[in-house]
Amino acid sequence: MVITLSMELKKEVERELATGRYRRASDLVEQAIRDFLEDCERARRRVVAHPADLYEQVLNPEPE
């Protein structure tokens, strides 16, 4: 799989790699995808567990 990143994201990846937290860019991307999928799953579980909360947010959004 080939993934193309914007120049801005490439620089962010390089900065993160420079910290030594990740050995390779692919390690960082894999972790980011895992985190994203976990966030999606948590959101899905919240909706399933509390569907009324979602309706309330849509019908009565908080003022900005």
Side-chain angles (χ1 to χ4, degrees), residues 2-17:
V2 175
I3 298 173
T4 303
L5 301 176
S6 68
M7 189 56 72
E8 180 179 324
L9 284 177
K10 285 180 184 180
K11 288 178 183 178
E12 291 296 328
V13 169
E14 290 169 4
R15 282 189 205 120
E16 189 64 31
L17 291 174

Side-chain angles (χ1 to χ4, degrees), residues 2-5 7 9 11-12 14 16 19-20 23 27 30 32-33 35 38 41 43 47-50 55 63-64:
V2 175
I3 298 173
T4 303
L5 301 176
M7 189 56 72
L9 284 177
K11 288 178 183 178
E12 291 296 328
E14 290 169 4
E16 189 64 31
T19 68
R23 288 185 5 204
D27 296 337
E30 286 178 10
I33 292 170
D35 292 346
E38 287 174 10
E41 180 59 21
V47 169
V48 168
H50 306 285
Y55 296 124
E64 293 181 22

Side-chain angles (χ1 to χ4, degrees), residues 40 42-62:
C40 290
R42 274 193 296 274
R44 186 195 67 74
R45 279 190 254 124
R46 276 195 310 269
V47 169
V48 168
H50 306 285
D53 292 349
L54 177 62
Y55 296 124
E56 182 67 25
Q57 291 173 12
V58 170
L59 296 175
N60 298 310
E62 295 181 19

